[in-house]
Coordinates of all heavy atoms in Angstrom, one line a residue:
H1 N 121.5 36.6 37.3 CA 120.9 35.3 37.0 C 121.7 34.1 37.3 O 121.1 33.0 37.5 CB 120.7 35.3 35.4 CG 119.4 36.0 35.0 ND1 118.1 35.4 35.3 CD2 119.1 37.2 34.4 CE1 117.1 36.2 34.8 NE2 117.7 37.2 34.3
I2 N 123.0 34.3 37.5 CA 123.7 33.1 37.9 C 124.0 33.0 39.4 O 124.8 32.2 39.9 CB 125.1 33.0 37.2 CG1 126.0 34.2 37.6 CG2 125.0 33.0 35.7 CD1 127.5 34.0 36.9
G3 N 123.3 33.9 40.1 CA 123.4 33.8 41.6 C 124.4 34.7 42.3 O 124.7 34.5 43.5
Y4 N 124.9 35.7 41.6 CA 125.9 36.5 42.2 C 125.2 37.5 43.2 O 124.3 38.2 42.8 CB 126.6 37.4 41.1 CG 127.8 38.3 41.5 CD1 129.0 37.7 41.5 CD2 127.6 39.6 41.7 CE1 130.1 38.6 41.8 CE2 128.6 40.4 42.1 CZ 129.9 39.9 42.2 OH 131.0 40.7 42.5
T5 N 125.6 37.4 44.5 CA 124.8 38.2 45.5 C 125.6 39.4 46.1 O 125.1 40.1 46.9 CB 124.6 37.2 46.6 OG1 125.8 36.7 47.2 CG2 123.7 36.1 46.2
Q6 N 126.8 39.6 45.6 CA 127.6 40.8 46.1 C 126.9 42.1 45.7 O 126.3 42.2 44.6 CB 129.0 40.7 45.6 CG 129.8 39.5 46.0 CD 129.9 39.3 47.5 OE1 130.0 40.3 48.2 NE2 129.9 38.1 48.0
A7 N 127.0 43.1 46.5 CA 126.5 44.4 46.2 C 127.2 45.0 45.1 O 128.4 45.0 45.0 CB 126.6 45.3 47.5
F8 N 126.5 45.5 44.1 CA 127.1 46.2 42.9 C 127.8 47.4 43.3 O 128.7 47.9 42.6 CB 126.1 46.4 41.8 CG 125.8 45.1 41.0 CD1 124.5 44.8 40.7 CD2 126.7 44.2 40.7 CE1 124.1 43.7 40.0 CE2 126.4 43.1 40.0 CZ 125.1 42.8 39.7
D9 N 127.5 48.0 44.5 CA 128.3 49.2 44.9 C 129.7 48.9 45.3 O 130.6 49.7 45.2 CB 127.6 49.8 46.2 CG 126.2 50.4 45.8 OD1 126.0 50.8 44.7 OD2 125.5 50.7 46.8
D10 N 129.9 47.6 45.5 CA 131.3 47.1 45.8 C 131.8 46.3 44.7 O 132.9 45.6 44.9 CB 131.3 46.3 47.1 CG 130.8 47.1 48.3 OD1 131.2 48.2 48.4 OD2 130.1 46.5 49.2
T11 N 131.3 46.4 43.5 CA 131.7 45.6 42.4 C 132.1 46.6 41.3 O 131.4 47.6 41.0 CB 130.6 44.6 41.8 OG1 130.2 43.8 42.9 CG2 131.1 43.8 40.7
Y12 N 133.2 46.3 40.6 CA 133.7 47.3 39.6 C 133.6 46.8 38.2 O 134.1 45.7 38.0 CB 135.1 47.7 40.0 CG 135.3 48.2 41.4 CD1 135.6 47.3 42.5 CD2 135.1 49.6 41.7 CE1 135.6 47.8 43.8 CE2 135.2 50.0 43.1 CZ 135.4 49.1 44.1 OH 135.5 49.5 45.4
F13 N 133.1 47.7 37.3 CA 133.0 47.3 35.9 C 133.8 48.3 35.0 O 133.7 49.5 35.2 CB 131.5 47.3 35.5 CG 130.7 46.3 36.2 CD1 130.0 46.6 37.3 CD2 130.5 45.0 35.7 CE1 129.2 45.7 38.0 CE2 129.8 44.1 36.4 CZ 129.1 44.4 37.6
T14 N 134.6 47.6 34.1 CA 135.3 48.4 33.1 C 134.7 48.1 31.8 O 134.7 46.9 31.4 CB 136.8 48.2 33.1 OG1 137.3 48.6 34.4 CG2 137.5 49.0 32.0
E15 N 134.2 49.0 30.9 CA 133.6 48.7 29.7 C 134.7 48.7 28.6 O 135.5 49.7 28.6 CB 132.4 49.6 29.3 CG 131.2 49.4 30.2 CD 130.0 50.2 29.7 OE1 130.2 51.1 28.9 OE2 128.9 49.9 30.3
I16 N 134.6 47.8 27.7 CA 135.5 47.8 26.5 C 134.7 47.6 25.2 O 133.6 47.2 25.3 CB 136.6 46.7 26.6 CG1 135.9 45.3 26.7 CG2 137.5 46.9 27.8 CD1 136.9 44.2 26.5
N17 N 135.3 48.0 24.1 CA 134.7 47.7 22.8 C 135.9 47.5 21.8 O 137.0 47.4 22.2 CB 133.8 48.9 22.3 CG 134.6 50.2 22.3 OD1 135.6 50.3 21.6 ND2 134.0 51.2 23.0
K18 N 135.5 47.2 20.5 CA 136.5 46.9 19.6 C 137.5 48.0 19.3 O 138.6 47.7 18.8 CB 135.8 46.5 18.2 CG 135.1 47.6 17.6 CD 134.4 47.2 16.3 CE 133.7 48.4 15.6 NZ 133.0 47.9 14.4
N19 N 137.2 49.2 19.8 CA 138.1 50.3 19.6 C 138.9 50.6 20.8 O 139.7 51.6 20.8 CB 137.3 51.6 19.1 CG 136.6 51.4 17.8 OD1 137.2 50.9 16.9 ND2 135.4 51.8 17.8
T20 N 138.8 49.9 21.9 CA 139.5 50.2 23.1 C 141.0 50.0 22.9 O 141.5 48.9 22.4 CB 139.1 49.3 24.2 OG1 137.6 49.5 24.5 CG2 139.8 49.6 25.5
R21 N 141.8 51.0 23.2 CA 143.3 50.9 23.0 C 143.9 50.2 24.2 O 143.5 50.2 25.3 CB 143.8 52.3 23.0 CG 143.2 53.2 21.9 CD 143.7 52.8 20.5 NE 145.1 52.9 20.4 CZ 145.8 52.5 19.3 NH1 145.2 51.9 18.4 NH2 147.1 52.6 19.3
P22 N 145.1 49.5 23.9 CA 145.7 48.7 25.0 C 146.1 49.5 26.2 O 145.9 49.1 27.4 CB 147.0 48.2 24.3 CG 146.6 48.1 22.9 CD 145.7 49.2 22.6
E23 N 146.5 50.8 26.0 CA 146.9 51.6 27.2 C 145.7 51.9 28.1 O 145.9 52.2 29.3 CB 147.5 53.0 26.6 CG 146.7 53.8 25.7 CD 146.9 53.5 24.2 OE1 147.4 52.4 23.9 OE2 146.6 54.4 23.4
K24 N 144.5 51.9 27.6 CA 143.3 52.1 28.4 C 143.1 50.9 29.4 O 142.4 51.0 30.4 CB 142.1 52.3 27.5 CG 142.1 53.6 26.7 CD 142.1 54.8 27.5 CE 141.9 56.1 26.6 NZ 141.9 57.3 27.5
L25 N 143.7 49.8 29.0 CA 143.5 48.6 29.8 C 144.6 48.3 30.8 O 144.5 47.4 31.6 CB 143.3 47.3 28.9 CG 142.2 47.4 28.0 CD1 142.1 46.3 27.0 CD2 140.8 47.4 28.8
L26 N 145.6 49.2 30.8 CA 146.8 48.9 31.7 C 146.3 49.1 33.2 O 146.9 48.3 34.0 CB 147.8 50.0 31.4 CG 148.7 49.7 30.1 CD1 149.6 50.8 29.8 CD2 149.4 48.4 30.1
P27 N 145.4 49.9 33.6 CA 144.9 49.9 35.0 C 144.4 48.5 35.4 O 144.6 48.1 36.6 CB 143.9 50.9 35.0 CG 144.3 51.9 33.9 CD 144.8 51.1 32.8
I28 N 143.8 47.8 34.5 CA 143.3 46.4 34.8 C 144.4 45.5 35.1 O 144.4 44.7 36.0 CB 142.4 45.9 33.6 CG1 141.2 46.9 33.4 CG2 141.9 44.5 33.9 CD1 140.3 47.0 34.6
I29 N 145.5 45.6 34.2 CA 146.7 44.8 34.4 C 147.3 45.1 35.8 O 147.7 44.2 36.5 CB 147.7 45.1 33.3 CG1 147.1 44.6 31.9 CG2 149.0 44.3 33.5 CD1 146.8 43.2 31.8
D30 N 147.3 46.4 36.1 CA 147.9 46.8 37.5 C 147.1 46.1 38.6 O 147.7 45.7 39.6 CB 148.0 48.3 37.6 CG 148.9 48.9 36.7 OD1 149.9 48.2 36.3 OD2 148.8 50.1 36.3
I31 N 145.8 46.1 38.4 CA 144.9 45.5 39.5 C 145.3 44.0 39.7 O 145.4 43.5 40.8 CB 143.4 45.6 39.1 CG1 143.0 47.1 39.3 CG2 142.5 44.8 40.0 CD1 141.6 47.4 38.7
I32 N 145.4 43.3 38.5 CA 145.7 41.9 38.6 C 147.1 41.6 39.2 O 147.3 40.7 40.0 CB 145.6 41.2 37.2 CG1 144.2 41.4 36.6 CG2 145.9 39.7 37.2 CD1 144.0 41.0 35.2
R33 N 148.0 42.4 38.8 CA 149.4 42.3 39.4 C 149.5 42.6 40.8 O 150.4 42.1 41.5 CB 150.4 43.2 38.6 CG 150.5 42.9 37.1 CD 151.5 43.7 36.4 NE 152.9 43.5 36.8 CZ 153.8 44.2 36.3 NH1 153.6 45.2 35.3 NH2 155.1 44.0 36.6
Q34 N 148.4 43.3 41.4 CA 148.4 43.5 42.8 C 147.8 42.3 43.6 O 147.7 42.3 44.8 CB 147.5 44.7 43.1 CG 148.2 46.0 42.7 CD 147.2 47.2 42.7 OE1 146.2 47.2 43.4 NE2 147.5 48.3 41.9
G35 N 147.4 41.3 42.8 CA 146.9 40.1 43.4 C 145.4 40.0 43.4 O 144.8 39.0 44.0
I36 N 144.7 40.8 42.6 CA 143.3 40.9 42.5 C 142.8 40.2 41.2 O 143.2 40.8 40.2 CB 142.7 42.3 42.7 CG1 143.1 42.9 44.0 CG2 141.2 42.3 42.5 CD1 142.8 44.3 44.1
S37 N 142.0 39.2 41.2 CA 141.6 38.6 40.0 C 140.5 39.3 39.4 O 139.7 40.0 40.0 CB 141.2 37.1 40.3 OG 142.3 36.3 40.6
V38 N 140.4 39.2 38.0 CA 139.4 40.0 37.2 C 138.7 39.0 36.3 O 139.4 38.1 35.7 CB 140.2 41.1 36.4 CG1 139.2 41.8 35.4 CG2 140.8 42.2 37.4
G39 N 137.5 39.3 36.0 CA 136.7 38.5 35.0 C 136.4 39.2 33.8 O 136.0 40.4 33.8
L40 N 136.7 38.6 32.6 CA 136.3 39.2 31.3 C 135.1 38.5 30.9 O 135.0 37.3 30.7 CB 137.5 38.9 30.3 CG 137.3 39.3 28.9 CD1 137.0 40.8 28.7 CD2 138.4 38.8 28.0
M41 N 134.0 39.3 30.6 CA 132.7 38.8 30.2 C 132.3 39.3 28.8 O 132.6 40.4 28.4 CB 131.6 39.2 31.2 CG 131.8 38.6 32.5 SD 130.5 39.2 33.7 CE 129.1 38.4 32.9
A42 N 131.6 38.4 28.0 CA 131.1 38.8 26.8 C 129.6 39.1 26.9 O 129.0 38.9 27.9 CB 131.2 37.6 25.8
E43 N 129.0 39.7 25.8 CA 127.6 39.9 25.8 C 126.8 38.6 25.7 O 125.7 38.4 26.2 CB 127.2 40.9 24.7 CG 127.5 42.3 24.9 CD 126.6 43.0 25.9 OE1 125.5 43.4 25.5 OE2 127.0 43.2 27.0
A44 N 127.4 37.7 24.9 CA 126.9 36.3 24.7 C 127.9 35.4 24.3 O 128.9 35.8 23.5 CB 125.8 36.4 23.6
G45 N 128.0 34.2 24.8 CA 129.0 33.2 24.4 C 130.3 33.5 25.1 O 130.4 34.1 26.1
M46 N 131.4 33.1 24.4 CA 132.7 33.2 24.9 C 133.3 34.6 24.5 O 133.2 34.9 23.3 CB 133.6 32.1 24.4 CG 133.2 30.8 25.0 SD 133.4 30.6 26.7 CE 135.2 30.8 26.9
P47 N 134.0 35.2 25.4 CA 134.8 36.4 25.0 C 135.8 36.1 24.0 O 136.3 35.0 23.9 CB 135.4 36.9 26.3 CG 134.5 36.4 27.4 CD 134.1 35.0 26.8
C48 N 136.2 37.1 23.2 CA 137.4 37.0 22.2 C 137.0 36.3 21.0 O 137.9 36.3 20.1 CB 138.6 36.4 22.9 SG 139.1 37.3 24.4

């Protein structure tokens, strides 16, 4: 809806919920530390 045109086959999604443990998110931290930016999205409004 906001005009994102990249193929979802080349887009990666990691799902989280209120019970997600910090250690499960360490791979995301590793991705960012490799120089790849990541977006955190909410279902509605602002995350967190």
Side-chain angles (χ1 to χ4, degrees):
H1 272 289
I2 65 173
Y4 188 85
T5 60
Q6 300 299 325
F8 284 136
D9 287 344
D10 299 320
T11 305
Y12 304 92
F13 296 91
T14 300
E15 292 191 348
I16 60 169
N17 57 53
K18 63 181 181 180
N19 298 315
T20 301
R21 304 287 299 171
E23 55 268 24
K24 296 291 185 180
L25 298 174
L26 288 176
I28 301 299
I29 297 299
D30 289 338
I31 288 171
I32 301 173
R33 294 179 71 180
Q34 292 169 23
I36 301 171
S37 291
V38 172
L40 171 63
M41 295 180 64
E43 286 285 283
M46 292 296 294
C48 304

